[in-house]
Amino acid sequence: MEKQLATQVLPKQLAFTPGGPPSAFAVEVVNHSDRYASFQLEVSAAGTNHLAGRKWYHVSPDISSKNPPGDTTQFQIEITDSPVPGFVGLMSLAVRVFSIELQEEERESLKLTLAQGTGAVPLGLNLPVEDFDADPGEEIQIPVWVSNPSQLKTTATVSLQGIDASWFPEGNEQTVKLAPGGRVQTTFNCKVPADPVQAPSHGYRFQVEASHAYGPPTQIEGHLKIDPLGFVAFQAQPEEHCIPEQFQLKFWQSPPVIYELQFENNSNLYQHAQAEIVDPPPHCTFEVMPDNIKLGLGDSGKLSLIAEADRHWLGFSKRHTIQVEAVWSNVERIDSRDETHVLQLKVKPRIPLWLVILMALVGGVWLWWISPFNQYNRNYGHRGAVTSVAFNGIADQAVSSSNDTTAIRWSVQGLSAWWAFPYLENIIQRGKQLAQQQKAIRGITYRPVNNDLVAVGLENGQIQLWDLNTDHTDPLQTFSYEKADRVLDVEFSQDSRYLFSSHGSGTIVVWATQRTAQQRKIFKEQKMPFAIYDSVLLGNPDQWLAIAGQQNQLVLWNWQSKQALEPLIYPESGTNRDYIQSIDTARDTPTLLTTADTQGNITLWNLAPCLQDSTTCKTLKPEIWSHSEATQPVRSVSMSDDGCYLASGGDDGRVMLWPLLPNGQRDPEFREGIELYEPSTVSMANFFQNILHPRSSDRINSVDLKVIGGKILVLSGSDDTQVRLFSTTVKDVQSRIQRQTLPCGKP
């Protein structure tokens, strides 16, 4: 097959001195094909494979234009450098001519004589491994081959740049000695810092440079990648917040609360951090300020989570759970600690629970205060001074009378318990006493038999009997001794056959009380030389009537016979301004008598000798003591049926209890008595007690005493319109006694 191209090299021999002027030769190429073709040329020398990419010659033109068939193309080649640096002598050069269009090539050769060069020769460098991968704390070795292509021995300095010099414990610069044409390997030991903060994770492009005295420096590049290591952490404080955080006067407002979100970067990656709320609770709004934070290596920073909530007006506090998640920009291959935090948000109602409770309590107290359950509610009780009080026989009910012309029946339980109804009924309502005349009621008492009827004595001299089993539209009976002769006291005999009335004129009237009589019949009457204030039946069976009044007069009247009056010598003489205000006896021991006077004294009499032998009456010496240190008038006294206790009340507003001995004398261990009611005592300990049972310093006008089932009950009526009940126990009183002898009464 005929060749499609022909080549010729001229001259066939060349000489070249490195560092001197270039040497040139020509190559002619003839196109013997039948079509247009372009040609290219390459020159190679033995031993230049490891120097690929090194330019040591120049071709012109690089590529010929397309030539028609039979046309000739001439290439000019200039040798500018030694094909093999440092080589001296004769070498062969191979010339390769080829055409892409013809798919054919032709080779020629020529001889090149290289003389000793006069220019610098660079060193050769080679990296066996160009790419390295390491973790913080890891130690790696970077090997480098250095070759000397010159004909002179040399000392080379090899340095590594682009990586922190502190990472090289043995230094990042080394010195190696090279023989002519020699080749040496050296190694750089690189220790990456163990602290991730000091070894940022990214790619480090480094350069290895070799320099010597006989040529220019040579460089080669490599790559070191530091892998991610370390951790990022997330914290949120506080774990719980409350809206509002503290009490404020404008309690209806809802100020926001702020959670502090803390981010910490302990990795070798630069981070952008932000926070996200996962499934935010309803009726709450959240905002993170700022949106995100940039963290360098080892840095920490904070974001603020601002929380607001719609507060309900009433009810209990609500708790919301807030799940906050940290979002990091680079968390691959590093540890993310506490990525999610669960926070609590407590939302209080606009009107706090304590205020609701307080309002309910105040409202409840107010409703109770204006209700009939409150014995101190004047819309249901007396509106004037209470003049007389009395228990029924078993002390589960009581009656009272007042200057306001009313009489009321009470529940004893209602007087002692705030939750019980105190008012049973108005026996005598305002305007219902008499159509003709309204007058104050001075005294009231139960009929002993059945306790189903009460007698009242009026300021206008009338006596009225009211049946407790009826609707009290009108009294059962009304009668009087003399008009305008005020009735100061009324009292039934124990068999209820007789009613005794004491009058301001000094008259005692005994009334027969048979129900069949249309008009009360005066059974007997007795005139006294003094105004009578009180009387009580003594002896068995109610044979004597003790009568007391003005000038401290005290007289015994045997009303069942015509025996003369027996005056008793009162230990304190009195003037017209002095009165024995009250007297009483013990029903089970009707020989005991107690009195109270306006001089502040209480006296206790044992009348047993006197009732058996009237000659001894004037020689009796009663026990006398003061109700209080102020010696203010004592308005009322009452004895228990068993004669073991005595109650008193007077102008000082106090109610006192006096335990007695079995022989009827005052117990020496209770010389000062037991104070049941002291109006001026106010403290936090009895604050609520004072609300439910307000105190007053007004005088006590009447007291009554009962001992039932181990309980000592004292009823009082005072100028402040109130009926009060005081209670203690026999056991409590007897527990204060230190002596060995048995006290009076059953425990």
Side-chain angles (χ1 to χ4, degrees):
M1 182 178 178
E2 186 179 352
K3 292 184 178 181
Q4 298 185 73
L5 60 90
T7 61
Q8 184 180 8
V9 176
L10 292 174
K12 288 288 188 177
Q13 290 188 352
L14 285 175
F16 178 71
T17 301
S23 296
F25 66 94
V27 177
E28 289 185 352
V29 181
V30 181
N31 182 7
H32 289 304
S33 71
D34 58 357
R35 58 184 181 273
Y36 282 82
S38 63
F39 301 98
Q40 297 182 55
L41 184 147
E42 287 183 354
V43 181
S44 61
T48 60
N49 291 336
H50 68 287
L51 300 174
R54 184 172 177 272
K55 297 297 184 180
W56 53 272
Y57 68 92
H58 178 69
V59 178
S60 178
D62 289 340
I63 302 174
S64 70
S65 60
K66 288 186 178 183
N67 295 327
D71 198 5
T72 300
T73 301
Q74 186 173 2
F75 291 93
Q76 289 291 327
I77 297 95
E78 288 184 347
I79 306 299
T80 60
D81 199 354
S82 173
V84 179
F87 180 79
V88 177
L90 182 65
M91 69 166 47
S92 296
L93 297 180
V95 179
R96 173 178 171 257
V97 180
F98 60 93
S99 172
I100 295 177
E101 290 84 6
L102 301 178
Q103 294 291 310
E104 190 174 334
E105 68 177 37
E106 186 72 20
R107 292 180 180 270
E108 296 284 346
S109 65
L110 72 156
K111 298 297 182 179
L112 176 64
T113 301
L114 291 171
Q116 180 68 45
T118 60
V121 179
L123 297 173
L125 282 176
N126 178 255
L127 285 174
V129 180
E130 293 184 356
D131 295 314
F132 297 88
D133 200 336
D135 290 329
E138 186 178 351
E139 186 172 350
I140 62 172
Q141 294 181 337
I142 304 175
V144 180
W145 283 98
V146 186
S147 59
N148 179 16
S150 71
Q151 299 302 312
L152 301 173
K153 65 178 181 180
T154 185
T155 300
T157 300
V158 184
S159 63
L160 191 151
Q161 304 296 327
I163 299 178
D164 194 331
S166 64
W167 293 14
F168 298 90
E170 299 171 3
N172 66 339
E173 186 175 287
Q174 299 184 19
T175 301
V176 295
K177 294 183 178 181
L178 293 167
R183 190 165 179 246
V184 176
Q185 183 184 29
T186 186
T187 302
F188 291 94
N189 292 322
C190 177
K191 186 173 184 180
V192 183
D195 185 358
V197 175
Q198 299 180 14
S201 174
H202 59 78
Y204 296 82
R205 186 165 294 279
F206 62 89
Q207 301 83 35
V208 179
E209 181 179 281
S211 62
H212 70 137
Y214 305 113
T218 305
Q219 290 185 345
I220 192 170
E221 289 188 349
H223 184 267
L224 170 63
K225 180 184 177 184
I226 302 299
D227 292 330
L229 190 69
F231 68 91
V232 289
F234 172 55
Q235 292 291 329
Q237 295 293 336
E239 293 185 355
E240 182 174 335
H241 251 313
C242 181
I243 297 179
E245 292 186 274
Q246 58 187 1
F247 175 74
Q248 54 188 19
L249 292 178
K250 298 180 179 179
F251 57 83
W252 59 88
Q253 295 183 349
S254 304
V257 294
I258 299 177
Y259 295 90
E260 192 174 86
L261 309 181
Q262 301 175 343
F263 299 84
E264 184 178 355
N265 181 19
N266 286 308
S267 74
N268 60 353
L269 291 172
Y270 291 92
Q271 299 284 348
H272 281 81
Q274 60 185 40
E276 289 185 357
I277 310 298
V278 181
D279 295 330
H283 309 297
C284 298
T285 57
F286 302 94
E287 183 179 8
V288 179
M289 296 290 291
D291 291 340
N292 60 73
I293 187 172
K294 184 178 180 180
L295 299 176
L297 307 186
D299 285 351
S300 62
K302 298 177 182 178
L303 297 178
S304 295
L305 173 60
I306 303 172
E308 294 183 273
D310 294 334
R311 295 169 62 196
H312 49 291
W313 282 96
L314 297 173
F316 294 96
S317 298
K318 294 182 179 179
R319 283 189 174 273
H320 297 293
T321 299
I322 309 168
Q323 185 173 339
V324 185
E325 186 176 289
V327 179
W328 302 90
S329 58
N330 296 304
V331 289
E332 295 180 2
R333 298 181 59 187
I334 64 172
D335 183 18
S336 178
R337 300 181 180 177
D338 300 322
E339 209 169 74
T340 302
H341 273 271
V342 177
L343 307 177
Q344 299 293 327
L345 179 61
K346 182 180 180 182
V347 181
K348 295 181 178 179
R350 295 179 187 270
I351 300 178
L353 182 60
W354 65 266
L355 185 57
V356 174
I357 295 175
L358 179 61
M359 292 171 62
L361 182 61
V362 172
V365 171
W366 181 78
L367 289 175
W368 174 86
W369 186 262
I370 64 174
S371 73
F373 288 92
N374 176 19
Q375 69 183 77
Y376 303 99
N377 187 345
R378 297 196 178 190
N379 292 325
Y380 296 92
H382 295 296
R383 296 187 181 180
V386 179
T387 56
S388 179
V389 293
F391 284 112
N392 67 356
I394 59 176
D396 65 336
Q397 295 181 14
V399 291
S400 62
S401 62
S402 169
N403 283 339
D404 66 355
T405 75
T406 63
I408 297 176
R409 183 157 61 130
W410 306 84
S411 164
V412 171
Q413 184 185 40
L415 291 172
S416 60
W418 64 269
W419 45 264
F421 197 72
Y423 304 98
L424 292 181
E425 60 178 337
N426 285 337
I427 302 172
I428 305 177
Q429 302 180 26
R430 293 180 186 85
K432 296 293 184 179
Q433 186 190 104
L434 286 175
Q436 299 85 358
Q437 191 175 9
Q438 302 291 320
K439 286 293 182 179
I441 302 174
R442 297 302 300 268
I444 188 170
T445 187
Y446 275 101
R447 183 171 69 173
V449 177
N450 299 327
N451 290 160
D452 58 351
L453 185 144
V454 293
V456 296
L458 276 64
E459 188 77 22
N460 64 356
Q462 287 187 341
I463 300 171
Q464 296 179 359
L465 301 182
W466 291 83
D467 190 347
L468 299 181
N469 296 322
T470 65
D471 58 3
H472 313 310
T473 303
D474 294 300
L476 182 64
Q477 289 187 2
T478 300
F479 48 93
S480 60
Y481 173 66
E482 288 183 1
K483 291 183 178 181
D485 190 0
R486 56 181 181 166
V487 181
L488 300 180
D489 180 62
V490 287
E491 182 166 353
F492 282 100
S493 61
Q494 288 299 304
D495 58 10
S496 300
R497 294 176 59 192
Y498 300 99
L499 176 66
F500 295 79
S501 60
S502 302
H503 295 263
S505 63
T507 304
I508 290 288
V509 181
V510 183
W511 306 84
T513 59
Q514 292 83 358
R515 275 184 175 273
T516 56
Q518 293 297 320
Q519 179 68 32
R520 296 293 97 186
K521 178 181 178 182
I522 297 178
F523 177 77
K524 187 174 289 190
E525 59 182 283
Q526 177 67 47
K527 275 283 193 179
M528 298 293 169
F530 55 87
I532 302 172
Y533 270 79
D534 201 4
S535 62
V536 65
L537 289 165
L538 299 173
N540 193 3
D542 292 344
Q543 182 179 0
W544 296 84
L545 183 69
I547 305 168
Q550 191 178 24
Q551 298 178 354
N552 291 348
Q553 299 272 358
L554 182 59
V555 175
L556 296 181
W557 174 36
N558 189 336
W559 63 277
Q560 296 181 5
S561 68
K562 296 183 179 181
Q563 186 176 336
L565 297 174
E566 292 292 342
L568 298 177
I569 306 301
Y570 197 72
E572 293 289 338
S573 60
T575 66
N576 288 336
R577 296 183 177 181
D578 298 320
Y579 298 87
I580 297 177
Q581 285 282 128
S582 176
I583 59 175
D584 197 20
T585 187
R587 293 302 177 188
D588 298 338
T589 312
T591 58
L592 295 179
L593 179 69
T594 182
T595 67
D597 61 41
T598 56
Q599 294 169 294
N601 299 313
I602 300 172
T603 59
L604 190 59
W605 307 71
N606 187 347
L607 299 178
C610 175
L611 298 183
Q612 293 178 2
D613 183 2
S614 60
T615 60
T616 63
C617 291
K618 294 182 180 180
T619 61
L620 293 178
K621 293 184 179 181
E623 183 178 4
I624 183 171
W625 70 90
S626 295
H627 171 77
S628 64
E629 295 180 358
T631 64
Q632 296 186 58
V634 185
R635 300 294 177 180
S636 181
V637 288
S638 178
M639 293 185 71
S640 61
D641 290 344
D642 57 4
C644 294
Y645 299 96
L646 186 152
S648 62
D651 284 10
D652 61 359
R654 298 195 307 164
V655 175
M656 301 294 297
L657 179 69
W658 308 91
L660 307 178
L661 295 175
N663 62 4
Q665 294 182 339
R666 182 169 50 140
D667 194 318
E669 294 198 26
F670 296 94
R671 287 294 179 184
E672 303 300 324
I674 300 173
E675 191 173 63
L676 298 180
Y677 179 71
E678 202 278 314
S680 62
T681 302
V682 178
S683 66
M684 289 305 298
N686 60 14
F687 177 75
F688 289 103
Q689 182 71 13
N690 289 339
I691 293 178
L692 298 178
H693 300 284
R695 294 174 178 266
S696 168
S697 59
D698 292 350
R699 74 178 183 182
I700 307 297
N701 293 317
S702 178
V703 295
D704 196 15
L705 172 64
K706 284 286 185 183
V707 179
I708 300 292
K711 286 187 176 182
I712 303 173
L713 304 177
V714 177
L715 192 68
S716 74
S718 55
D719 276 359
D720 67 347
T721 76
Q722 299 301 319
V723 175
R724 293 181 175 88
L725 179 70
F726 311 99
S727 67
T728 185
T729 63
V730 175
K731 184 177 181 181
D732 179 59
V733 174
Q734 294 184 357
S735 66
R736 307 184 195 184
I737 299 175
Q738 298 180 1
R739 64 176 182 272
Q740 298 299 321
T741 57
L742 291 176
C744 181
K746 297 181 180 180

